[in-house]
């Protein structure tokens, strides 16, 4: 039985982790924490455990075997370092820090200590990505295109996460929150190749906040070209996001236009339709269970802080290319 603590429990992604965790019989919840103590107490009541505002006090008091780390981006690296130094395995939500320097530091510390620090880059385990990699094994990737446009950012205020709208505490907008998935996925699909930031542009014109509400990025990865479009501008009341992806290999063209379907075409005109999930949300249960099983076996994560550090260093270069000034210390917020 893993004695488990949950840190930063007012984060809107908590249900994605907690629901599969609660279906397991090998976890016991010894405490939760959040600076918003009232919010933490609501979660604690559901789990029949204690709530504290300070995660450090919680960890020292409960001596857990495992931790889930969510919370404000500006506080994540310090939380990770605290857990690494105490030898506590954990899952930490992406991006795990404000910038590449922060995440690289904790990644290096985790490597030195052989610490278990899993990061949910769940698209790697997504059904369409897994099947596409098998289908295209050994083929050259010619181009990769990913679009993920989320709902307006005011949703985060309604979910008790208004800090997302403050660049000093979040590190950025749609790119660091949504686009980070593809900054990990693209080098994963095209490994061992240098990544060049060919172009990048960001805008905050839709909502006039300190974070970007739209971003467009062009990357060159070896001989492959990749594009990312992400933002907080989708206003549909019916669907969670505007998401569609396309990938061209030497032999096939893959298009994901719906949450459950991928169309595959070949130069000869062949068409195949896969009924497979394309949504990141659907993959969290697999990620959570895989990570916990690895902790129980004494294995390392499938992907970890070193992957997060690589993605965040790339993000820093993209923001620099786009002309954004990122917060290195609290309070250094600028408008795009």
């Amino acid at each position: 039985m893993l004695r488990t603590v949950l840190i930063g429990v007012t984060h809107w992604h908590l249900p994605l982790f907690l629901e599969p965790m609660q279906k397991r019989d090998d976890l016991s919840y010894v405490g939760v924490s959040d600076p918003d103590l009232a919010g933490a107490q609501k979660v604690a009541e559901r789990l029949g455990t204690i709530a504290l505002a300070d995660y450090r006090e919680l960890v020292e008091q409960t001596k857990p075997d495992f931790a889930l780390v969510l919370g404000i981006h500006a506080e994540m690296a310090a939380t990770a370092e605290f857990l690494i130094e105490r030898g506590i395995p954990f899952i930490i939500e992406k991006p795990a820090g404000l910038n590449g320097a922060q995440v690289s530091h904790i990644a290096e510390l985790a490597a030195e200590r052989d610490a278990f620090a899993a990061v949910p880059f769940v698209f790697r385990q997504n059904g369409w990505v897994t099947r596409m990699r098998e289908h295209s094994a050994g083929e050259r990737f010619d181009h990769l295109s990913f679009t993920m446009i989320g709902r307006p950012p005011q949703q985060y205020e309604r979910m008790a996460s208004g800090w997302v709208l403050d660049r000093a505490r979040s590190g950025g907008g749609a790119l660091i929150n949504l686009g980070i998935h593809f900054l990990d996925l693209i080098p994963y699909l095209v490994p061992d190749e240098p990544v060049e930031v060919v172009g990048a542009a960001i805008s905050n014109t839709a909502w006039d906040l300190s974070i970007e509400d739209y971003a467009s990025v062009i990357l060159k990865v070896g001989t492959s070209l990749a594009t990312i479009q992400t933002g907080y501008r989708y206003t549909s009341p019916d669907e969670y996001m505007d998401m569609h992806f396309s990938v061209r290999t030497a032999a096939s063209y893959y298009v994901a236009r719906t949450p459950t379907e991928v169309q595959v075409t070949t130069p000869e005109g062949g068409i195949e339709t896969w009924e497979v999930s394309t949504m990141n949300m659907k993959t969290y249960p697999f990620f959570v269970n895989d990570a916990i099983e690895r902790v129980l076996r004494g294995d390392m994560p499938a992907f970890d802080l070193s992957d997060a550090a690589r993605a965040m260093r790339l993000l820093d270069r993209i923001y620099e290319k786009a002309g954004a000034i990122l917060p290195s210390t609290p309070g250094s917020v600028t408008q795009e």
Side-chain angles (χ1 to χ4, degrees):
M1 187 74 68
L2 290 177
R3 293 168 50 81
T4 301
V5 295
L6 311 178
I7 298 171
V9 293
T10 60
H11 192 286
W12 69 97
H13 272 185
L14 178 66
L16 296 177
F17 297 93
L18 187 54
E19 287 176 9
M21 290 171 69
Q22 287 189 281
K23 293 178 181 178
R24 302 183 63 94
D25 59 8
D26 48 11
L27 304 178
S28 64
Y29 301 96
V30 296
V32 305
S33 73
D34 198 280
D36 176 0
L37 184 56
Q41 287 170 336
K42 291 178 182 178
V43 177
E45 288 172 6
R46 286 166 44 202
L47 298 176
T49 190
I50 64 170
L52 296 174
D54 191 322
Y55 69 85
R56 293 168 290 254
E57 182 181 351
L58 177 69
V59 169
E60 297 297 352
Q61 180 175 322
T62 60
K63 302 294 190 292
D65 304 312
F66 177 66
L68 171 65
V69 181
L70 305 172
I72 299 170
H73 296 171
E75 299 173 1
M76 296 184 91
T79 307
E81 185 166 354
F82 181 85
L83 295 172
I84 291 167
E85 289 176 344
R86 283 154 183 78
I88 299 169
F90 60 93
I91 292 171
I92 185 167
E93 175 64 303
K94 47 77 183 167
L98 279 178
N99 51 47
Q102 283 190 357
V103 183
S104 294
H105 170 70
I106 56 174
E108 291 166 5
L109 184 61
E112 291 170 3
R113 305 288 181 90
D114 290 324
F116 186 101
V119 182
F121 286 126
V122 293
F123 271 112
R124 292 192 186 197
Q125 297 168 320
N126 193 267
W128 78 274
V129 171
T130 301
R131 189 162 178 182
M132 180 182 67
R133 290 186 75 223
E134 294 171 351
H135 189 264
S136 63
E139 294 178 18
R140 180 188 71 248
F141 283 83
D142 290 333
H143 85 251
L144 309 95
S145 178
F146 301 99
T147 296
M148 178 186 275
I149 310 295
R151 289 176 176 170
Q154 292 79 5
Q155 66 176 319
Y156 296 108
E157 292 181 318
R158 295 192 296 272
M159 295 186 290
S161 297
W163 56 266
V164 174
L165 311 185
D166 178 2
R167 183 178 286 277
R169 294 194 289 168
S170 65
L175 264 175
I176 196 171
N177 188 22
L178 307 178
I180 193 73
H181 280 293
F182 308 112
L183 300 184
D184 170 74
L185 183 61
I186 290 167
Y188 172 69
L189 292 173
V190 190
D192 305 319
E193 294 286 357
V195 180
E196 177 187 353
V197 181
V198 177
I202 60 177
S203 171
N204 68 344
T205 57
W207 308 111
D208 195 29
L209 299 168
S210 67
I211 59 170
E212 75 277 359
D213 52 55
Y214 184 80
S216 182
V217 178
I218 303 173
L219 304 175
K220 187 173 183 181
V221 189
T223 60
S224 305
L225 282 177
T227 63
I228 300 168
Q229 293 187 78
T230 189
Y232 293 139
R233 296 185 174 185
Y234 191 48
T235 55
S236 169
D238 301 319
E239 297 178 355
Y240 179 64
M241 287 187 183
D242 171 18
M243 295 174 62
H244 45 278
F245 318 129
S246 63
V247 176
R248 205 272 189 188
T249 67
S252 300
Y253 198 100
Y254 306 85
V255 182
R257 293 192 180 96
T258 77
T260 59
E261 187 176 279
V262 172
Q263 186 181 81
V264 186
T265 60
T266 65
E268 295 77 26
I271 299 177
E272 184 179 355
T273 300
W274 297 345
E275 296 294 332
V276 63
S277 173
T278 64
M279 294 285 289
N280 57 321
M281 300 299 188
K282 299 294 185 181
T283 314
Y284 276 85
F286 182 91
F287 166 81
V288 168
N289 285 307
D290 176 70
I292 293 171
E293 290 297 329
R294 287 171 180 270
V295 171
L296 292 169
R297 293 196 305 265
D299 293 341
M300 297 303 285
F303 24 94
D304 57 22
L305 284 172
S306 66
D307 300 297
R310 179 183 63 182
M312 287 295 283
R313 290 192 296 267
L314 177 55
L315 178 65
D316 287 351
R317 289 161 53 199
I318 291 168
Y319 275 138
E320 182 180 8
K321 187 79 169 183
I325 301 175
L326 299 184
S328 56
T329 57
S332 56
V333 182
T334 63
Q335 295 284 113
E336 282 88 15

